[in-house]
Amino acid sequence: MFRSLRHPNYRIWAAGAVVSNIGTWMQRTAQDWLVLTRLTHHSASAVGTVMALQFGPQLLLLPWTGFAADHYDQRKLLMATQATMAALALTLGLLTVSGLVQLWHVYIFAFLFGCAAAFDAPVRQTFVAELVGDADLHNAVALNSTSFNAARMIGPAVAGLVIASVGMGWAFLFNGASFVAVLGSLFLLRLNGHQGRARAHRTKGSLMGGLHYVWSRPDLKAILVMLFLIGTFGLNFPIFISTMAVGVFHTDARGYGLLSSIMAIGTLSGALLAAGRGRPRFASLLVGSGVFGLGCALAALAPTYWLFAAALVLIGVAALTLTNTTNSLMQLSTEPAMRGRVMALRVGVALGGTPIGAPIVGWVADHLGPRWGLAVGAASGVAAAGVAIYAMTRSVHATPSKSP
């Protein structure tokens, strides 16, 4: 389950990442709570707008982010993106602590964070292959998710305590300081033992090469359609959890932070299960999508806070099964020189649909109620499962039968 940790470079990288991830989840929790309770009067639409601005650049900058991941030095690019996000977090923290922060400030910083993250995400995902090699790639992807979701379990709960005791701005400041850990780990990587994959050559049309490559692959197209459906309408957890916490269960910042941490129990479990599996299979996408839809439906119907929390655990397991499997499948089935562009497409489709889905889900939660917002998430899981069934059926029919 932890075999990737035998690689020294991966151990260094993972140690820095877990500290930074805790800060990231503290900021996400504080940002949603700031918008929902201080800068607006419980407006789910405003939270949806923040999400749209934060994740929109993943799609807007798609040709350039994938190109950068495949053509530039990944370690240096990661240092630049991580340092940029640190500076943005510290600045937003100072504005919040000083009491000067306004809603338009959050909108601008969300967009700038999104731009930096758009360049960071495909590099960070393909960089793992350089640290461990293809043989341990699936395990390393799962352990990355384990780290991210262990931080997701800790960060929101800590953020809730920080918000209740000293204020929201300090959560942003802690996140800014936490980037020192991941930047330090990048400096400490032992480059002599670092086996980087070949960089892609710059040729005419290479900027859009990932799109042409994916278009020729029915399996990759099916995965991206599933990611679009669930990423656009299902992975809107800040809206789902915050509106249910405030509008249905009437809890405070600590109760909201606890719900986010409880969901992380599910995502952490899903990541550990993925780490223990062998090579990823397309059937896991069907299971993950179906269970995700079921979990969202149960959460929408949950009559109490704790039953809602239990449904979040199920959603977390399903979401991680889906996202981890798509990550590993797409990397392992893609030519190494194309991975940056293909993974940029993956991230862009999974998160870039948020500018479409988050405002819609926020509007539904505001006008029809938070439970109906979750119903939209449930429908996205069912639709994605339908795409998986169609793709698997086509694959079986396309495979010629063997003669007896």
Side-chain angles (χ1 to χ4, degrees), residues 138-278:
H138 179 59
N139 179 255
V141 167
L143 290 184
N144 275 0
S145 294
T146 301
S147 167
F148 188 71
N149 288 287
R152 187 178 193 168
M153 195 159 51
I154 299 168
V158 174
L161 294 174
V162 169
I163 292 168
S165 57
V166 294
M168 300 177 206
W170 288 96
F172 300 132
L173 293 175
F174 181 90
N175 181 42
S178 73
F179 282 98
V180 173
V182 72
L183 286 168
S185 71
L186 286 167
F187 275 111
L188 291 172
L189 289 177
R190 288 169 276 185
L191 298 180
N192 288 337
H194 183 79
Q195 299 298 322
R197 61 185 173 86
R199 311 258 35 94
H201 297 294
R202 299 189 198 186
T203 58
K204 185 178 180 180
S206 62
L207 197 65
M208 298 298 292
L211 185 61
H212 296 305
Y213 182 82
V214 169
W215 191 256
S216 68
R217 294 276 304 277
D219 56 332
L220 297 182
K221 281 193 290 186
I223 292 172
L224 289 180
V225 171
M226 295 173 68
L227 276 174
F228 175 78
L229 289 169
I230 290 185
T232 302
F233 301 105
L235 300 183
N236 293 298
F237 302 131
I239 298 175
F240 296 151
I241 297 176
S242 63
T243 55
M244 289 290 285
V246 173
V248 176
F249 302 118
H250 310 293
T251 187
D252 60 10
R254 281 170 289 194
Y256 168 55
L258 181 60
L259 283 175
S260 297
S261 295
I262 287 173
M263 182 176 182
I265 295 173
T267 52
L268 181 62
S269 301
L272 287 171
L273 287 171
R277 295 192 194 107

Side-chain angles (χ1 to χ4, degrees), residues 2-359:
F2 301 100
R3 59 186 180 272
S4 293
L5 292 175
R6 69 189 180 199
H7 300 277
N9 277 335
Y10 183 77
R11 289 199 300 270
I12 295 170
W13 164 255
V18 70
V19 176
S20 182
N21 286 336
I22 291 172
T24 296
W25 280 110
M26 288 184 68
Q27 169 151 329
R28 289 187 182 185
T29 304
Q31 178 178 275
D32 296 336
W33 200 251
L34 174 67
V35 171
L36 198 66
T37 63
R38 183 189 294 184
L39 302 180
T40 69
H41 184 64
H42 301 169
S43 173
S45 295
V47 177
T49 300
V50 171
M51 290 180 64
L53 290 167
Q54 188 161 329
F55 297 118
Q58 299 281 2
L59 197 58
L60 182 67
L61 301 175
L62 185 56
W64 297 275
T65 58
F67 181 86
D70 275 334
H71 292 81
Y72 297 125
D73 184 295
Q74 294 192 330
R75 181 168 166 269
K76 291 179 180 178
L77 193 53
L78 280 172
M79 286 181 176
T81 56
Q82 295 288 311
T84 300
M85 288 189 282
L88 290 170
L90 291 171
T91 306
L92 181 57
L94 290 173
L95 281 172
T96 307
V97 168
S98 65
L100 299 174
V101 70
Q102 297 181 38
L103 184 60
W104 68 270
H105 291 147
V106 180
Y107 286 163
I108 290 174
F109 276 92
F111 180 75
L112 294 176
F113 267 112
C115 290
F119 282 94
D120 184 80
V123 184
R124 193 161 24 87
Q125 293 184 8
T126 55
F127 188 60
V128 174
E130 300 196 18
L131 298 177
V132 302
D134 285 357
D136 289 329
L137 175 61
H138 179 59
N139 179 255
V141 167
L143 290 184
N144 275 0
S145 294
T146 301
S147 167
F148 188 71
N149 288 287
R152 187 178 193 168
M153 195 159 51
I154 299 168
V158 174
L161 294 174
V162 169
I163 292 168
S165 57
V166 294
M168 300 177 206
W170 288 96
F172 300 132
L173 293 175
F174 181 90
N175 181 42
S178 73
F179 282 98
V180 173
V182 72
L183 286 168
S185 71
L186 286 167
F187 275 111
L188 291 172
L189 289 177
R190 288 169 276 185
L191 298 180
N192 288 337
H194 183 79
Q195 299 298 322
R197 61 185 173 86
R199 311 258 35 94
H201 297 294
R202 299 189 198 186
T203 58
K204 185 178 180 180
S206 62
L207 197 65
M208 298 298 292
L211 185 61
H212 296 305
Y213 182 82
V214 169
W215 191 256
S216 68
R217 294 276 304 277
D219 56 332
L220 297 182
K221 281 193 290 186
I223 292 172
L224 289 180
V225 171
M226 295 173 68
L227 276 174
F228 175 78
L229 289 169
I230 290 185
T232 302
F233 301 105
L235 300 183
N236 293 298
F237 302 131
I239 298 175
F240 296 151
I241 297 176
S242 63
T243 55
M244 289 290 285
V246 173
V248 176
F249 302 118
H250 310 293
T251 187
D252 60 10
R254 281 170 289 194
Y256 168 55
L258 181 60
L259 283 175
S260 297
S261 295
I262 287 173
M263 182 176 182
I265 295 173
T267 52
L268 181 62
S269 301
L272 287 171
L273 287 171
R277 295 192 194 107
R279 291 182 69 87
R281 299 180 182 278
F282 201 94
S284 297
L285 299 180
L286 171 60
V287 174
S289 301
V291 175
F292 182 87
L294 174 63
C296 287
L298 292 175
L301 297 171
T304 67
Y305 177 95
W306 291 109
L307 286 175
F308 176 70
L312 290 180
V313 175
L314 183 63
I315 294 171
V317 173
L320 254 291
T321 297
L322 180 75
T323 56
N324 269 13
T325 303
T326 60
N327 189 326
S328 299
L329 269 177
M330 293 187 78
Q331 286 206 60
L332 290 172
S333 63
T334 298
E335 298 172 13
M338 292 293 301
R339 281 182 183 169
R341 280 163 286 182
V342 171
M343 294 308 290
L345 269 172
R346 176 190 173 273
V347 175
V349 168
L351 301 180
T354 301
I356 302 169

